[in-house]
Amino acid sequence: MSLRRLLSPLLCLAFVVLAVSLPAQEIDLVGSNSWWKVGATLRISAERVENLREAGTSGNLRLRIWATDEIDDGTNDLTGFVLGTSNLRPLPAGYAYVNLSRVVRYNRPPPGLYYTTITLEENTVDGFFIVDSENYPGLVNLGRYGYGAVENLGSNGDVGFVGDVIWLAGNGRVRFYTEEMLNQRVSGRSGVLRIRLWATATPYDGGPLLQGYPMATRGVGRLSAGGSIPLFARSALFRAPPTGEYYVTMTLEELVPGGWNIVDYVTFPETSLF
C-alpha cells in the first residue's frame, strides 16, 4: 500500500516560493512569480503576463499552481494536484497584465513532499492548453507530512522497543506503530510510560538531555515485569517544528520521581523536511 493511501485518512503553514520566467512564448509569463499559502487560501502573484501575438485576442487565461511527484518536464500533460487557480480575462495582442496578485481557494492535496509549478493556460476550442510554465526550486512539505521507520530492533534488556518502529504524520495527526514494547525487568511494574516524537538539529544518540521540538506525545500505561504490549498502533495530535530539515527521534519515557526518564529511543536514519 502506498504512503499516500496510508495518509489519506489522517486528519497551515505559509510557503513563499519564487520563480523567474525564461524565454518568451506567444503568451508569456515575464519576471518573477510566486505562491503563498495561508490557511484555506492561496495567493498567486505574477509580475507580468504578456500577449506577444501580432493580432487578435487570446482565449480566457488562467494561472494555476500544481503540486507534482516529479519535476515538470515542460510538456502539456502535467499531472498532479492543482493547489489553486486564478482566472483571467482574454488578453488582446500587444497587451499585458501587470503585477497580478489574487487570493484564491486552496485545494489541499494528500500530505506529502511535492515539487511545484506555475502554469499559464489558455482556453482553446480543445480546452485549456499550457502556454507557459515555470518550476519552483526544491521540495515543499504540504500537510505537515512526515514518515520514518526502522526494522528489527533488538531488546535493550530493560523497558524498550522491539522489532519494527514507524511514525507517519499528516494534517495535524501522527500515527505511532511499534511491533512490541517489552519490560524485561525481573520484578515490579514500570512507571507510567509515554511515547514522544522529537525533531532535533543533530542526531540524538542517548543521554538524559534531549534538546529539540516535541512534536507529539502518546500515553502508553504501565508494564508488568516480563510483560509486553504487542502491535501498538495509536494516533496523537502532531505539531510540526518551524520550517526546516530535522532529525527525528522517538523516545519511550518512564515517569519516575523527579520527572520523565528516557528508557529507550530510536533515531530515524533519514532527515525529515517540514
Side-chain angles (χ1 to χ4, degrees), residues 24-35:
Q25 316 290 323
E26 284 191 343
I27 298 178
D28 194 21
L29 278 168
V30 179
S32 63
N33 53 77
S34 66
W35 62 273

Side-chain angles (χ1 to χ4, degrees), residues 2-222:
S2 69
L3 289 180
R4 292 282 159 77
R5 189 174 297 274
L6 284 168
L7 278 166
S8 59
L10 295 174
L11 299 180
C12 254
L13 177 71
F15 293 98
V16 178
V17 194
L18 298 174
V20 177
S21 297
L22 296 173
Q25 316 290 323
E26 284 191 343
I27 298 178
D28 194 21
L29 278 168
V30 179
S32 63
N33 53 77
S34 66
W35 62 273
W36 180 17
K37 176 186 173 301
V38 181
T41 65
L42 192 77
R43 180 175 290 277
I44 303 175
S45 298
E47 186 174 337
R48 193 174 178 89
V49 173
E50 294 183 345
N51 185 346
L52 301 177
R53 293 169 182 163
E54 295 182 356
T57 298
S58 74
N60 287 319
L61 302 174
R62 68 186 182 191
L63 294 171
R64 279 189 148 182
I65 303 298
W66 293 77
T68 59
D69 291 328
E70 304 292 338
I71 297 175
D72 176 41
D73 60 5
T75 62
N76 202 55
D77 59 352
L78 183 63
T79 58
F81 301 96
V82 176
L83 304 184
T85 301
S86 177
N87 294 307
L88 305 173
R89 287 176 171 272
L91 186 62
Y95 283 77
Y97 291 116
V98 179
N99 295 327
L100 289 168
S101 186
R102 304 279 180 83
V103 175
V104 301
R105 177 183 175 184
Y106 173 67
N107 301 309
R108 186 175 68 184
L113 298 178
Y114 294 97
Y115 297 97
T116 52
T117 297
I118 185 171
T119 58
L120 174 59
E121 305 177 14
E122 181 183 18
N123 196 13
T124 70
V125 293
D126 296 317
F128 276 95
F129 185 83
I130 297 173
V131 292
D132 200 4
S133 65
E134 297 294 334
N135 294 326
Y136 295 102
L139 288 164
V140 294
N141 187 329
L142 299 178
R144 292 306 213 184
Y145 165 80
Y147 171 77
V150 294
E151 298 180 346
N152 301 320
L153 284 176
S155 169
N156 66 358
D158 186 40
V159 178
F161 302 119
V162 178
D164 298 344
V165 178
I166 299 169
W167 67 280
L168 179 65
N171 290 335
R173 304 288 297 179
V174 62
R175 185 77 168 172
F176 294 113
Y177 172 82
T178 65
E179 190 170 342
E180 185 177 16
M181 281 179 279
L182 177 63
N183 181 357
Q184 289 195 288
R185 295 171 184 169
V186 296
S187 63
R189 288 196 301 167
S190 71
V192 173
L193 300 172
R194 72 181 184 187
I195 290 176
R196 277 198 132 181
L197 196 67
W198 297 80
T200 62
T202 57
Y204 174 70
D205 59 0
L209 183 61
L210 195 166
Q211 294 182 318
Y213 298 94
M215 298 186 290
T217 303
R218 177 73 199 202
V220 174
R222 303 177 72 178

